[in-house]
Amino acid sequence: MNRPAPQLLRTWLITPALHADRCEKAKSYGADVALADLEDSVAPADKATARAIAARFLHPAVGGGPVLGVRVNAPVTADGIRDLAAISGYPH
């Protein structure tokens, strides 16, 4: 079976998931990977809102774009468990 050569992902852009406008712009800056951060860039009181924004962020742009992902809190914490529960329903 022939597999394509792995793509080098050299440029990563991480933006707070609380800012929907920044998340959408992150897709267009030319980075190889764009991540919405749910961890230390989001205050505890804002994490639920940030999870909802991150879900919308993961819809890829039409015509390609960077690899999209989410940076979650440590999975051994309550916020980490909530992050994992939330992302389990995100698009693949």
Side-chain angles (χ1 to χ4, degrees), residues 71-89:
R71 180 178 179 225
V72 299
N73 289 275
V76 295
T77 65
D79 279 322
I81 292 167
R82 289 182 194 102
D83 292 346
L84 294 173
I87 66 172
S88 69

PDB file of all heavy atoms in Angstrom, residues 71-89:
ATOM      1  N   ARG A  71      -6.129  22.696  22.275  1.00  0.00           N
ATOM      2  CA  ARG A  71      -5.243  22.434  23.415  1.00  0.00           C
ATOM      3  C   ARG A  71      -6.121  22.373  24.650  1.00  0.00           C
ATOM      4  O   ARG A  71      -6.813  23.332  24.992  1.00  0.00           O
ATOM      5  CB  ARG A  71      -4.217  23.555  23.538  1.00  0.00           C
ATOM      6  CG  ARG A  71      -3.261  23.379  24.683  1.00  0.00           C
ATOM      7  CD  ARG A  71      -2.244  24.518  24.675  1.00  0.00           C
ATOM      8  NE  ARG A  71      -1.343  24.380  25.781  1.00  0.00           N
ATOM      9  CZ  ARG A  71      -0.977  25.381  26.568  1.00  0.00           C
ATOM     10  NH1 ARG A  71      -1.443  26.599  26.352  1.00  0.00           N
ATOM     11  NH2 ARG A  71      -0.149  25.168  27.559  1.00  0.00           N
ATOM     12  N   VAL A  72      -6.136  21.232  25.322  1.00  0.00           N
ATOM     13  CA  VAL A  72      -7.025  21.012  26.463  1.00  0.00           C
ATOM     14  C   VAL A  72      -6.269  21.105  27.775  1.00  0.00           C
ATOM     15  O   VAL A  72      -5.035  21.039  27.813  1.00  0.00           O
ATOM     16  CB  VAL A  72      -7.742  19.641  26.363  1.00  0.00           C
ATOM     17  CG1 VAL A  72      -8.606  19.560  25.126  1.00  0.00           C
ATOM     18  CG2 VAL A  72      -6.743  18.496  26.401  1.00  0.00           C
ATOM     19  N   ASN A  73      -7.015  21.233  28.853  1.00  0.00           N
ATOM     20  CA  ASN A  73      -6.458  21.182  30.198  1.00  0.00           C
ATOM     21  C   ASN A  73      -6.004  19.759  30.494  1.00  0.00           C
ATOM     22  O   ASN A  73      -6.432  18.805  29.834  1.00  0.00           O
ATOM     23  CB  ASN A  73      -7.515  21.624  31.217  1.00  0.00           C
ATOM     24  CG  ASN A  73      -7.803  23.103  31.133  1.00  0.00           C
ATOM     25  OD1 ASN A  73      -7.107  23.898  31.733  1.00  0.00           O
ATOM     26  ND2 ASN A  73      -8.821  23.477  30.367  1.00  0.00           N
ATOM     27  N   ALA A  74      -5.156  19.607  31.486  1.00  0.00           N
ATOM     28  CA  ALA A  74      -4.674  18.281  31.864  1.00  0.00           C
ATOM     29  C   ALA A  74      -5.856  17.355  32.120  1.00  0.00           C
ATOM     30  O   ALA A  74      -6.785  17.715  32.855  1.00  0.00           O
ATOM     31  CB  ALA A  74      -3.802  18.370  33.102  1.00  0.00           C
ATOM     32  N   PRO A  75      -5.863  16.162  31.515  1.00  0.00           N
ATOM     33  CA  PRO A  75      -7.018  15.272  31.632  1.00  0.00           C
ATOM     34  C   PRO A  75      -7.249  14.710  33.034  1.00  0.00           C
ATOM     35  O   PRO A  75      -8.254  14.061  33.262  1.00  0.00           O
ATOM     36  CB  PRO A  75      -6.742  14.160  30.625  1.00  0.00           C
ATOM     37  CG  PRO A  75      -5.328  14.280  30.253  1.00  0.00           C
ATOM     38  CD  PRO A  75      -4.866  15.662  30.595  1.00  0.00           C
ATOM     39  N   VAL A  76      -6.351  14.966  33.960  1.00  0.00           N
ATOM     40  CA  VAL A  76      -6.554  14.510  35.336  1.00  0.00           C
ATOM     41  C   VAL A  76      -7.226  15.581  36.188  1.00  0.00           C
ATOM     42  O   VAL A  76      -7.398  15.399  37.385  1.00  0.00           O
ATOM     43  CB  VAL A  76      -5.221  14.072  35.986  1.00  0.00           C
ATOM     44  CG1 VAL A  76      -4.654  12.863  35.273  1.00  0.00           C
ATOM     45  CG2 VAL A  76      -4.228  15.225  36.013  1.00  0.00           C
ATOM     46  N   THR A  77      -7.618  16.697  35.557  1.00  0.00           N
ATOM     47  CA  THR A  77      -8.308  17.779  36.270  1.00  0.00           C
ATOM     48  C   THR A  77      -9.773  17.795  35.849  1.00  0.00           C
ATOM     49  O   THR A  77     -10.151  17.246  34.812  1.00  0.00           O
ATOM     50  CB  THR A  77      -7.690  19.145  35.947  1.00  0.00           C
ATOM     51  OG1 THR A  77      -7.894  19.443  34.559  1.00  0.00           O
ATOM     52  CG2 THR A  77      -6.197  19.175  36.269  1.00  0.00           C
ATOM     53  N   ALA A  78     -10.601  18.465  36.635  1.00  0.00           N
ATOM     54  CA  ALA A  78     -12.022  18.573  36.301  1.00  0.00           C
ATOM     55  C   ALA A  78     -12.212  19.304  34.973  1.00  0.00           C
ATOM     56  O   ALA A  78     -13.029  18.889  34.146  1.00  0.00           O
ATOM     57  CB  ALA A  78     -12.775  19.290  37.418  1.00  0.00           C
ATOM     58  N   ASP A  79     -11.454  20.387  34.756  1.00  0.00           N
ATOM     59  CA  ASP A  79     -11.577  21.105  33.479  1.00  0.00           C
ATOM     60  C   ASP A  79     -11.099  20.239  32.315  1.00  0.00           C
ATOM     61  O   ASP A  79     -11.672  20.288  31.229  1.00  0.00           O
ATOM     62  CB  ASP A  79     -10.796  22.420  33.512  1.00  0.00           C
ATOM     63  CG  ASP A  79     -11.565  23.524  34.202  1.00  0.00           C
ATOM     64  OD1 ASP A  79     -12.795  23.592  34.023  1.00  0.00           O
ATOM     65  OD2 ASP A  79     -10.932  24.326  34.913  1.00  0.00           O
ATOM     66  N   GLY A  80     -10.069  19.450  32.535  1.00  0.00           N
ATOM     67  CA  GLY A  80      -9.594  18.556  31.484  1.00  0.00           C
ATOM     68  C   GLY A  80     -10.643  17.520  31.102  1.00  0.00           C
ATOM     69  O   GLY A  80     -10.849  17.236  29.915  1.00  0.00           O
ATOM     70  N   ILE A  81     -11.308  16.975  32.082  1.00  0.00           N
ATOM     71  CA  ILE A  81     -12.375  16.000  31.816  1.00  0.00           C
ATOM     72  C   ILE A  81     -13.523  16.670  31.065  1.00  0.00           C
ATOM     73  O   ILE A  81     -14.055  16.116  30.100  1.00  0.00           O
ATOM     74  CB  ILE A  81     -12.855  15.351  33.128  1.00  0.00           C
ATOM     75  CG1 ILE A  81     -11.731  14.481  33.696  1.00  0.00           C
ATOM     76  CG2 ILE A  81     -14.132  14.547  32.911  1.00  0.00           C
ATOM     77  CD1 ILE A  81     -11.953  14.028  35.121  1.00  0.00           C
ATOM     78  N   ARG A  82     -13.868  17.892  31.461  1.00  0.00           N
ATOM     79  CA  ARG A  82     -14.913  18.639  30.743  1.00  0.00           C
ATOM     80  C   ARG A  82     -14.485  18.933  29.297  1.00  0.00           C
ATOM     81  O   ARG A  82     -15.295  18.854  28.374  1.00  0.00           O
ATOM     82  CB  ARG A  82     -15.241  19.930  31.479  1.00  0.00           C
ATOM     83  CG  ARG A  82     -15.984  19.724  32.778  1.00  0.00           C
ATOM     84  CD  ARG A  82     -16.332  21.069  33.430  1.00  0.00           C
ATOM     85  NE  ARG A  82     -16.745  20.862  34.802  1.00  0.00           N
ATOM     86  CZ  ARG A  82     -15.971  21.085  35.875  1.00  0.00           C
ATOM     87  NH1 ARG A  82     -14.753  21.566  35.742  1.00  0.00           N
ATOM     88  NH2 ARG A  82     -16.433  20.854  37.079  1.00  0.00           N
ATOM     89  N   ASP A  83     -13.206  19.289  29.115  1.00  0.00           N
ATOM     90  CA  ASP A  83     -12.695  19.536  27.758  1.00  0.00           C
ATOM     91  C   ASP A  83     -12.824  18.284  26.899  1.00  0.00           C
ATOM     92  O   ASP A  83     -13.295  18.339  25.764  1.00  0.00           O
ATOM     93  CB  ASP A  83     -11.222  19.953  27.798  1.00  0.00           C
ATOM     94  CG  ASP A  83     -10.983  21.316  28.426  1.00  0.00           C
ATOM     95  OD1 ASP A  83     -11.944  22.079  28.601  1.00  0.00           O
ATOM     96  OD2 ASP A  83      -9.807  21.598  28.734  1.00  0.00           O
ATOM     97  N   LEU A  84     -12.393  17.155  27.432  1.00  0.00           N
ATOM     98  CA  LEU A  84     -12.460  15.901  26.683  1.00  0.00           C
ATOM     99  C   LEU A  84     -13.894  15.524  26.358  1.00  0.00           C
ATOM    100  O   LEU A  84     -14.192  15.049  25.251  1.00  0.00           O
ATOM    101  CB  LEU A  84     -11.759  14.781  27.448  1.00  0.00           C
ATOM    102  CG  LEU A  84     -10.243  14.949  27.601  1.00  0.00           C
ATOM    103  CD1 LEU A  84      -9.680  13.864  28.518  1.00  0.00           C
ATOM    104  CD2 LEU A  84      -9.542  14.944  26.259  1.00  0.00           C
ATOM    105  N   ALA A  85     -14.792  15.722  27.310  1.00  0.00           N
ATOM    106  CA  ALA A  85     -16.214  15.434  27.063  1.00  0.00           C
ATOM    107  C   ALA A  85     -16.742  16.337  25.949  1.00  0.00           C
ATOM    108  O   ALA A  85     -17.478  15.891  25.069  1.00  0.00           O
ATOM    109  CB  ALA A  85     -17.027  15.606  28.327  1.00  0.00           C
ATOM    110  N   ALA A  86     -16.345  17.601  25.975  1.00  0.00           N
ATOM    111  CA  ALA A  86     -16.816  18.547  24.958  1.00  0.00           C
ATOM    112  C   ALA A  86     -16.259  18.202  23.582  1.00  0.00           C
ATOM    113  O   ALA A  86     -17.016  18.179  22.599  1.00  0.00           O
ATOM    114  CB  ALA A  86     -16.424  19.971  25.339  1.00  0.00           C
ATOM    115  N   ILE A  87     -14.975  17.909  23.489  1.00  0.00           N
ATOM    116  CA  ILE A  87     -14.393  17.656  22.174  1.00  0.00           C
ATOM    117  C   ILE A  87     -14.798  16.307  21.588  1.00  0.00           C
ATOM    118  O   ILE A  87     -14.665  16.096  20.394  1.00  0.00           O
ATOM    119  CB  ILE A  87     -12.858  17.831  22.139  1.00  0.00           C
ATOM    120  CG1 ILE A  87     -12.170  16.776  22.981  1.00  0.00           C
ATOM    121  CG2 ILE A  87     -12.461  19.212  22.550  1.00  0.00           C
ATOM    122  CD1 ILE A  87     -10.660  16.768  22.838  1.00  0.00           C
ATOM    123  N   SER A  88     -15.324  15.438  22.418  1.00  0.00           N
ATOM    124  CA  SER A  88     -15.763  14.138  21.894  1.00  0.00           C
ATOM    125  C   SER A  88     -16.916  14.315  20.907  1.00  0.00           C
ATOM    126  O   SER A  88     -17.144  13.472  20.056  1.00  0.00           O
ATOM    127  CB  SER A  88     -16.157  13.182  23.016  1.00  0.00           C
ATOM    128  OG  SER A  88     -17.344  13.618  23.648  1.00  0.00           O
ATOM    129  N   GLY A  89     -17.630  15.427  20.987  1.00  0.00           N
ATOM    130  CA  GLY A  89     -18.729  15.699  20.081  1.00  0.00           C
ATOM    131  C   GLY A  89     -18.359  16.631  18.935  1.00  0.00           C
ATOM    132  O   GLY A  89     -19.197  16.964  18.120  1.00  0.00           O
TER     133      GLY A  89
END
